[in-house]
Amino acid sequence: MRIMIKKLSIFLIAVLTVASLGAQPAERSGSAVYAPRAGQFQVSAVLGGGLYFDYLDNLTPLLPSYMPGAEVGIDPMDKGPGYYLQMGSLNNNSIANIAGIQGKYFVTNRFALNAMFAMQIDVTPERDYTEGINLESSGLLDLGGIQWVEGRLTDKYLVNVGADYYFNNCNGRLFPYIGVLGGFQHARVQAYLPYTGLEVPTETGTDPIELYALDNRAGEAYAISGAITAGVEYNFLPGMNIALEVRPFNYYYSAIRMYADGQEYNAYEMQFKFFAFPQLKIGFRF
């Protein structure tokens, strides 16, 4: 049912946009109150599929193992790097999801520039393991240890910039538009291993794992995109509108990098999407 609604929305947007290109009557005085004007700003809440990596909300898959001798990279027999580099899943376009906030400036009555930016930084301070105390009291008075915490620094951000061209329409409140869009997404995580209390077996007994484990591990993912956009904007109040938008063509070049003990792992992915990223926008123009 969700897929049928998505396909119907895309079809309606495409029909309305193409039909409007062939009919360009002069602006009527009655529609001027709803039509965009040069110098106006518009802020829109963008609802629909996320604009970030679908499966990298948790950046742990970007980290190589801290165990000595472990291979660096993502197991191709498991999910593989392509899984984590996916963006704009066709099965995940919930209208309840707020993909971001978009700002738009009208350079002329028909031409507008738009931009979207979002960023998240997370810091987890590291904490050493605290050993417990054994008082040989059958456990009644013993003090348990305190678990260690791996230090982490993560940052995620995205930026999209584009331009839209609006068309006149016989309906004074309806304004189809087409545009171009460029974007960049980035995610990075760095982990710091504290004292853990863990031991590894050796020929002469055991040693603390910190003698062999990686102190610092890091990984990142990024994507560069270019798209053609098409949509229909309906103004139901002066200064307030709703729009349906889709990307008839979208190209992504994305990559994963991991760093561990002087070694570097790289994996790349290219994605071509057609009539993807259906989005609903609720905008305020002033």
Side-chain angles (χ1 to χ4, degrees):
M1 183 67 179
R2 182 186 299 175
I3 296 178
M4 291 180 62
I5 295 175
K6 172 179 176 293
K7 291 182 177 179
L8 180 59
S9 299
I10 293 174
F11 176 76
L12 290 175
I13 293 174
V15 170
L16 289 172
T17 302
V18 173
S20 301
L21 298 182
Q24 301 297 317
E27 280 193 20
R28 300 177 302 171
S29 59
S31 66
V33 67
Y34 298 105
R37 297 188 300 274
Q40 287 187 318
F41 289 91
Q42 181 168 305
V43 179
S44 302
V46 182
L47 310 176
L51 302 175
Y52 207 67
F53 301 103
D54 292 336
Y55 305 108
L56 277 181
D57 186 48
N58 182 346
L59 301 184
T60 299
L62 297 180
L63 284 174
S65 172
Y66 62 80
M67 294 300 294
E71 295 181 343
V72 180
I74 297 177
D75 186 358
M77 301 301 293
D78 186 15
K79 294 179 179 178
Y83 173 83
Y84 296 107
L85 291 174
Q86 285 296 311
M87 303 178 69
S89 172
L90 295 179
N91 296 318
N92 183 22
N93 292 290
S94 173
I95 196 173
N97 177 61
I98 299 180
I101 304 297
Q102 183 188 70
K104 183 176 291 189
Y105 175 73
F106 287 86
V107 181
T108 70
N109 291 354
R110 294 191 180 185
F111 181 73
L113 301 176
N114 64 73
M116 180 186 298
F117 176 79
M119 187 173 190
Q120 177 179 332
I121 299 176
D122 299 310
V123 180
T124 303
E126 64 181 271
R127 180 192 177 107
D128 291 335
Y129 171 72
T130 302
E131 297 183 3
I133 300 176
N134 185 358
L135 299 177
E136 298 183 356
S137 59
S138 300
L140 297 177
L141 300 177
D142 293 347
L143 297 177
I146 299 177
Q147 285 284 6
W148 54 279
V149 177
E150 182 182 58
R152 287 199 180 185
L153 174 62
T154 66
D155 65 83
K156 299 183 286 186
Y157 68 89
L158 68 88
V159 57
N160 289 332
V161 294
D164 297 322
Y165 184 82
Y166 284 72
F167 298 91
N168 293 333
N169 191 272
C170 57
N171 186 325
R173 300 191 181 202
L174 191 69
F175 299 94
Y177 64 89
I178 60 174
V180 293
L181 184 71
F184 181 75
Q185 291 80 18
H186 184 266
R188 191 178 193 278
V189 56
Q190 187 160 353
Y192 307 90
L193 188 67
Y195 171 66
T196 64
L198 300 176
E199 303 279 336
V200 293
T202 64
E203 295 181 355
T204 59
T206 60
D207 285 335
I209 195 173
E210 289 79 20
L211 295 177
Y212 310 99
L214 300 175
D215 291 333
N216 297 321
R217 301 175 293 146
E220 65 178 342
Y222 66 88
I224 302 171
S225 63
I228 298 173
T229 61
V232 178
E233 181 180 283
Y234 181 78
N235 294 261
F236 51 90
L237 289 174
M240 188 173 183
N241 56 67
I242 188 170
L244 287 175
E245 182 179 293
V246 70
R247 300 183 185 180
F249 173 77
N250 198 118
Y251 169 77
Y252 273 108
Y253 174 85
S254 49
I256 283 179
R257 290 180 179 175
M258 292 183 179
Y259 310 92
D261 198 23
Q263 293 180 299
E264 183 175 320
Y265 167 84
N266 294 278
Y268 307 96
E269 175 93 356
M270 288 188 291
Q271 302 175 33
F272 299 86
K273 296 181 181 292
F274 300 91
F275 292 96
F277 288 98
Q279 293 178 329
L280 178 69
K281 297 181 179 182
I282 301 175
F284 299 89
R285 187 181 301 150
F286 52 91

